[in-house]
Each structure stands twice: as structure tokens, then as C-alpha cells.
Amino acid sequence: MESKIVVSPDREKPIRNQHPWVFSRAITSVKGDPKPGEIVTVENEKGRFLARGYWNPKSQIQVRILTWRDEAINEEWWASQLERAFSARHISEFDTAARLVNAESDYLPGLIIDRYGYDEFGKDWLVLQALTLGIDERKQMIAELASDLLGADGVYERSDVDVRRKEGLKSVTGTLVGEAPPNPIVILEGEVPIHVDVYQGHKTGFYLDQRVNRARVVDLLMDEYDSECRMLNLFSYTGAFGLRAASAHPDVRVINIDSSLEVLELGEKNAADVEVSDRIEFFQADVMEFVRDQVGDNELYDVIICDPPKFAHSAQQVDRAARGYKDLNMHSFRLVKPGGYLFTFSCSGAITPDLFQKIVFGALADTGRQAQIIAHLGASDDHPIALTFPEGEYLKGLLLRVY
Ligand code: SAH
């Protein structure tokens, strides 16, 4: 018999509204003796069925809901959920990498699956991240189902993320199914080959969430610049923004700044591969120090990309993070040539799009410059956000024209 988790009447509403998390404080009793990771039924105090999910008493989120229907969670169920998520993605021969499963937002809490298509040999690799115990216990089955459904050549696990600690889990990496992927994998994004290190790279190897914004940069350059354009790519990682820009536009010159030497080395390999090394530079520097120096030197750029790492890891860190974003954006504004553009981002889930816009406004006010919002930016289409799960909206950005 499946164990039952009983929730208090005042905590029923969010569950009925399909929020996927049941916190420990919402639970009034546990009927049965569920093992950590096991499937449990969530019911109200009158014994009415509310949802079904997996259980982890070690986590503050004790149940993550998989379904709000009274249906069995078996292998068939997992296969049909995976199929649904996969069929919502469009993979083309020009864009061979995509997020296939976006955890809570794809109604598969705790599960990330990214696809990295390998152009040269036509091979396909999946990278799986298990963020919770419920997924960790089922990852082998999930990896096999995913690989069968997609005909992938291998599934590699990158469960080396801090959040697993909250679930009582250690970091794990390794091949789950098939062959171990090559290092690097060469994907295509907008037809541009990009080296991805799925073993050591950030996230599952690449910032797939920014793909749509990289395309937006390319569109802007093609529309607005018919001669030389100077671009500054702050927090460049392996240089994807700059690489897309320089490959698309023959008069674009890019300076990429990142603090990590390994990612810059991969970036240089990327630039050499598409034969744009003469127009792309990579510098190892702390961005804050770099932008201060550049302002001091009166440097100006036509287009600046500012895509920092997460500054706020929790609600408690919002104030400090806000000061960081403000300072960074203030310097970035000063480095934009009048009439130029700033793409500015925040990937801190704790900072709402509204707050981010206010912070950027505050930064502008301190510079005496003018800026117009050309577009509000978010993550790529393959990173959907369930309307019932606003926590999933972590990446936000503004495209600004600066005078
Ligand atoms: N825009 C990139 C992703 C950026 S991720 C893309 O599209 O692929 C953030 C990057 O910031 C990481 O590569 C990290 O190494 C770098 N970073 C973090 N702190 C930094 C700092 N203080 N100065 C420079 N780079 C930093």
C-alpha cells in the first residue's frame, strides 16, 4: 500500500493549483512508513486525494509532485512524460543542442536532460542531472528510456551540483547508458560549431538558456551595423555570444572577458575553428576590475553583453546582489557608445524581472545617461516555465539602447 502524506487545510490550495512542492510545514501526518524516494499519495485531512509524488524526509521539500491525477507512477508513466517533453522541442541540423527536460517546468521535478548533438559523426549525447533523491533513485531507468526514445549514443550524468546536498545526496558523474561522450563534443548553434565540455563545463556543459539571446544579438548586428562594430562580451564563458556575432558579421570585433582560464581556452579553440581568431580576443580578468579600468581609460563599445553568474543564491542575499548588479550595470552603461546597445542579464531566481529592471534603472540614474528598453529578454523556448511554477523563471534580461 502506498503511504499517505496528509496536508493541513491551509496548505491545500497551492497543491490544488498545481504547485509542485509540498514543504515539511504543510504536512500534519504521515500514514504508513514510506522509504525515502518512494512514491506517496498526498491527501487532505478528510482523506481526499490531492496529488502523487516522491518523498524525501531529509529535504525541506518533502514531496515533489509528479501528478495531480489519481494515476499509477510506473515506467510507462515516466516514458509518456519524457515523450511529451521531447516532442515539444525542435532540433534542427543547424541547432543540434537543446534542453529536453526542464525539471519542475516540464512536470518532472528534479530532472534535467540536455541533448548535445555531435555534428561530425552524426552522434547524439544526452546529459542528465538528478537534482533530487526521487530522481536519483530512478535515473538509470530514466536514462535508458530517454536513450531508447531518442536513439542517443550515450547518456552521461552530471549530478555534481550543490543543491543535491539539501536532499542528502553527494556529487556523482559518469556514463549511465552507452558510450562515454567525446571531449569536447562539437555542437552547432545557428550553424556555428561550438566546443562543449560535458565533463567539466558549467551546468551540463553549456549555457543553452542563452541561445535565443545570442540569436537576438546576431539579428541586431545585422540590422544596425553595416560597418565596424566593437563588441564587449562580459562573463563570456567559452565566448558563445561573441562567436555567434563574429561568425555572422564580418566587421564585428569582440573582446571576451572571463575569470576562468579553462573556459577561455575552449573559447580560443572555438574562434580558431570558425576562423575568426583575428577578430576575437579572450582576456582573463575579474569583470569588475576590468570595467572600472576601461571606464578610467574612456573606452567605448557599440554593443555590450553583460551576463554575470548568479549573485543571489537565496532571498537573504538579494540586497547584496542588488548592489552588485547596480555597480556592474553602472560601469557597463558608461562603456556604451552613445546610440549603442547593452544586453544585461541576471540569472538569480531570487531577483524578479521587475526588481532587476529597477536595479538597472538605479544604475542608469547614477550615470546621467539615457536608455530605452528595446526588449525584455528571457531564456530560450526549450526552457519553458510552468505557469504554476514561477520559481522556474530565473533568467531575465533587458536589451537597452543607450544614449
Ligand atoms: N554568457 C555566457 C555564460 C556566462 S556564465 C554564455 O552565453 O555562454 C558566467 C561566467 O562568468 C562564467 O564563465 C564564469 O567563469 C564567469 N565569472 C564569474 N565571476 C567572474 C568575475 N568576477 N569576473 C569574470 N568572470 C567571472
Side-chain angles (χ1 to χ4, degrees):
M1 253 290 275
E2 210 165 83
S3 299
K4 296 198 163 110
I5 307 299
V6 182
V7 296
S8 66
D10 61 326
R11 302 288 176 164
E12 237 181 279
K13 195 161 171 230
I15 299 174
R16 283 186 192 285
N17 285 345
Q18 299 209 5
H19 193 280
W21 293 346
V22 182
F23 287 92
S24 51
R25 60 177 180 272
I27 298 170
T28 53
S29 65
V30 176
K31 295 185 192 161
D33 184 19
K35 282 202 273 307
E38 218 168 80
I39 301 294
V40 292
T41 295
V42 181
E43 62 178 32
N44 69 9
E45 286 187 348
K46 293 184 185 135
R48 216 182 122 185
F49 176 91
L50 294 173
R52 183 159 287 136
Y54 58 75
W55 162 254
N56 184 2
K58 281 213 179 101
S59 170
Q60 280 200 11
I61 303 169
Q62 295 209 342
V63 183
R64 302 220 185 203
I65 295 174
L66 297 166
T67 181
W68 288 265
R69 284 205 302 248
D70 195 355
E71 61 183 342
I73 307 292
N74 48 27
E75 199 166 317
E76 222 168 84
W77 183 91
W78 288 95
S80 75
Q81 284 298 106
L82 289 174
E83 230 172 339
R84 186 172 90 164
F86 295 163
S87 65
R89 268 70 181 184
H90 311 283
I91 308 274
S92 82
E93 56 187 303
F94 308 122
D95 287 286
T96 62
R99 173 147 300 184
L100 302 182
V101 176
N102 195 29
E104 270 75 352
S105 284
D106 271 308
Y107 311 98
L108 288 165
L111 176 65
I112 300 283
I113 301 180
D114 289 341
R115 173 193 192 259
Y116 292 104
Y118 189 49
D119 61 327
E120 235 177 310
F121 303 116
K123 288 198 173 185
D124 256 344
W125 310 97
L126 301 178
V127 181
L128 180 151
Q129 223 165 39
L131 306 173
T132 57
L133 179 68
I135 295 299
D136 201 73
E137 291 203 332
R138 293 167 180 83
K139 66 190 176 193
Q140 192 59 42
M141 172 202 50
I142 292 170
E144 282 166 19
L145 285 173
S147 146
D148 286 350
L149 284 167
L150 297 164
D153 295 283
V155 184
Y156 187 73
E157 180 181 15
R158 272 298 299 277
S159 298
D160 49 347
V161 276
D162 286 347
V163 287
R164 277 172 61 99
R165 259 189 269 144
K166 296 186 185 172
E167 292 271 321
L169 295 167
K170 292 200 180 83
S171 282
V172 194
T173 57
T175 303
L176 288 170
V177 177
E179 302 166 42
N183 191 16
I185 295 176
V186 185
I187 59 152
L188 288 180
E189 186 186 278
E191 291 188 74
V192 178
I194 300 178
H195 296 75
V196 176
D197 174 358
V198 298
Y199 292 91
Q200 302 288 333
H202 298 181
K203 296 198 173 206
T204 61
F206 193 53
Y207 289 88
L208 291 166
D209 53 355
Q210 285 285 19
R211 183 173 53 168
V212 65
N213 300 315
R214 291 190 283 259
R216 180 107 206 191
V217 170
V218 170
D219 286 348
L220 177 98
L221 293 170
M222 302 313 269
D223 290 347
E224 300 290 317
Y225 294 90
D226 45 20
S227 57
E228 193 156 294
C229 172
R230 212 173 166 219
M231 177 168 155
L232 178 62
N233 187 15
L234 300 172
F235 306 97
S236 68
Y237 190 53
T238 53
F241 270 103
L243 200 71
R244 294 285 312 272
S247 321
H249 197 305
D251 301 314
V252 171
R253 304 188 77 86
V254 190
I255 294 180
N256 295 285
I257 307 295
D258 204 282
S259 53
S260 150
L261 204 54
E262 297 91 79
V263 308
L264 294 174
E265 276 167 6
L266 207 51
E268 273 166 3
K269 226 188 240 181
N270 280 332
D273 235 37
V274 286
E275 295 174 8
V276 290
S277 298
D278 55 330
R279 291 186 286 119
I280 298 197
E281 288 174 275
F282 289 90
F283 291 119
Q284 186 187 23
D286 174 76
V287 162
M288 276 322 299
E289 287 172 20
F290 178 83
V291 290
R292 278 195 199 105
D293 289 350
Q294 292 269 298
V295 170
D297 294 345
N298 296 316
E299 292 286 348
L300 289 173
Y301 296 87
D302 297 286
V303 176
I304 298 182
I305 317 294
C306 183
D307 183 24
K310 202 193 268 185
F311 283 177
H313 293 269
S314 65
Q316 291 75 36
Q317 296 176 355
V318 166
D319 286 345
R320 204 172 50 112
R323 287 195 292 278
Y325 286 120
K326 185 179 170 190
D327 203 28
L328 180 61
N329 280 281
M330 193 176 74
H331 285 85
S332 300
F333 275 129
R334 291 194 167 122
L335 290 174
V336 183
K337 210 180 266 179
Y341 294 88
L342 172 63
F343 287 78
T344 183
F345 297 97
S346 160
C347 61
S348 302
I351 303 228
T352 61
D354 212 37
L355 176 59
F356 183 59
Q357 190 170 318
K358 287 197 179 100
I359 296 167
V360 175
F361 160 76
L364 179 76
D366 282 2
T367 63
R369 304 281 300 267
Q370 294 179 317
Q372 300 164 315
I373 298 172
I374 306 302
H376 286 93
L377 308 171
S380 306
D381 290 5
D382 54 356
H383 290 60
I385 303 150
L387 204 49
T388 46
F389 185 66
E391 293 88 339
E393 188 176 10
Y394 66 98
L395 182 66
K396 74 247 18 144
L398 294 167
L399 163 54
L400 303 163
R401 183 161 48 225
V402 185
Y403 291 105

